[in-house]
Amino acid sequence: MTSTPGALAGIRVLDISRILGGPYCGQILGDHGADVLKIEPPQGDDTRTWGPPFKDGVASYYHGLNRNKRVQHLDFSTEEGRAALLALVAEADVMIENFKTGTMERWGIGYETLSQRFPRLVWCRVSGFGADGPLGALPGYDAAVQAMTGIMSVNGEAEGGPLRVGLPVVDMVTGLNAVIGVLLALQERQRSGRGQFVEAALYDSGISLLHPHAANWFMDGSAPRRTGNAHPNIYPYDALATGTDPVFVAVGNDRQFASLCGCIGLPALATDPRFAIAGARSVNRDALKQRLETAMAAFDGRVLVEQLMAAGVPAAPVLPVAAALEHPHTAHRCMVVEMEGYRGIGAPVKLGRTPASYRHAPLTPGDAFLPRADDEAASTAAH
């Protein structure tokens, strides 16, 4: 915890989004000091029901995306709800929304209308596919976009079928892209004095994640294939069996490969023409994997990881989620946040002078923005 104002202190954010991408964007901005007001419909954000587990009737899913915000409920389909929203927009620097295309326009509070009234406002829309084009205005869902953008086609075992990545990677990257867009727009506003429309679409984010498969396809037209835990371009970059637990070995160059071979008692393997250079290792990966796992069967996996890391070979145990969250280095990096009645994942971006802070647990109520520091100073001077 820190009392130092965050990098975004003084920035007011109106988060009227729901589900994941938009709320994740709002949480990140809040972690770094922005004053975030979250407005939910009368029935609440849908993710309040996405459980179990639940605490006081609200799902863990919601808790994981909505700290450092203060929450109120408004119905934008009513005149009173829209009037309350407009009063808050007048004070906001940023608004995050993910309504279906045309919904806010139908209520008379769309971007074209509000941007004329509030020209400094940065309007961030998280959408599925954007507003136009062949898929324009369609609703987007993480797993469906993983399927459509080719992510599932390259995920899974070589002998198996396409597989969804086991976390909402597209939604989360879209949230991160939304944060980047908001920060870019705020930076440009310093120069022009004007806000602008920022859009982060799940489809675009999914396509953007296709490295190196897209780069490979652009170069030679070969169809990417599933490789399980292995990297499509380099080897050994794979989970390998040992005498106990499997370990992940991430060899990125010939020097690391030679060190690996030395650690497992196969120094001659590093000079074998089939494996001596990176391209050859990738081509001959099946034979190489067999040789490596035969030798590694004599080792305890956890001990081998320590030996490899000491030798400069990137390696890691394959841990379950609980073990990762309870790892001493997770604590050292402040990647678990604890507040009264709440635990969550910490901010991964570390700033030296203006670090992230955790001020509001999920479900903290709030119906107005907090005074800015300069407002408080002016009030003090006046008295």
Side-chain angles (χ1 to χ4, degrees), residues 81-172:
R82 293 192 294 274
L85 172 66
L86 290 173
L88 292 169
V89 172
E91 300 182 11
D93 298 286
V94 178
M95 185 167 73
I96 307 166
E97 56 93 359
N98 61 352
F99 284 92
K100 292 180 181 178
T101 300
T103 300
M104 297 189 73
E105 288 75 11
R106 190 164 60 251
W107 290 331
I109 51 176
Y111 174 72
E112 294 301 327
T113 299
L114 294 194
S115 63
Q116 295 179 28
R117 186 170 174 180
F118 308 108
R120 287 179 56 82
L121 180 68
V122 173
W123 181 304
C124 178
R125 173 171 294 164
V126 174
S127 70
F129 299 91
D132 49 23
L135 303 176
L138 291 177
Y141 298 90
D142 178 272
V145 175
Q146 285 194 36
M148 291 190 69
T149 58
I151 293 172
M152 284 178 56
S153 77
V154 296
N155 189 53
E157 296 297 334
E159 302 80 16
L163 189 66
R164 181 183 72 87
V165 177
L167 48 84
V169 60
V170 173
D171 273 334
M172 297 187 75

Side-chain angles (χ1 to χ4, degrees), residues 155-337:
N155 189 53
E157 296 297 334
E159 302 80 16
L163 189 66
R164 181 183 72 87
V165 177
L167 48 84
V169 60
V170 173
D171 273 334
M172 297 187 75
V173 168
T174 303
L176 292 171
N177 287 339
V179 170
I180 294 169
V182 166
L183 298 181
L184 292 172
L186 288 173
Q187 172 65 22
E188 195 279 337
R189 192 179 72 171
Q190 293 282 92
R191 181 169 66 248
S192 68
R194 300 170 57 199
Q196 59 183 296
F197 183 78
V198 174
E199 185 173 46
L202 271 67
Y203 188 82
D204 300 351
S205 296
I207 293 291
S208 77
L209 287 170
L210 291 178
H211 186 79
H213 305 285
N216 295 343
W217 183 79
F218 285 138
M219 182 166 288
D220 68 9
S222 60
R225 59 187 181 88
R226 289 179 292 282
T227 55
N229 288 315
H231 195 286
N233 288 48
I234 56 178
Y235 205 86
Y237 201 104
D238 198 358
L240 300 173
T242 71
T244 55
D245 301 321
V247 302
F248 198 94
V249 176
V251 168
N253 57 50
D254 299 340
R255 177 187 55 77
Q256 291 173 349
F257 181 65
S259 297
L260 167 65
C261 294
C263 285
I264 62 175
L266 295 177
L269 207 61
T271 58
D272 186 317
R274 295 174 298 167
F275 314 127
I277 61 174
R281 288 193 295 275
S282 186
V283 170
N284 297 299
R285 61 179 57 203
D286 292 339
L288 178 56
K289 182 174 184 177
Q290 183 178 9
R291 293 290 302 277
L292 294 174
E293 289 190 328
T294 298
M296 292 167 66
F299 291 83
D300 177 283
R302 298 294 179 97
V303 174
L304 180 58
V305 165
E306 295 178 359
Q307 294 173 344
L308 291 174
M309 291 292 282
V313 180
V318 181
L319 298 180
V321 169
L325 293 176
E326 294 171 349
H327 196 285
H329 199 69
T330 303
H332 177 75
R333 296 295 299 170
C334 301
M335 285 306 297
V336 171
V337 176

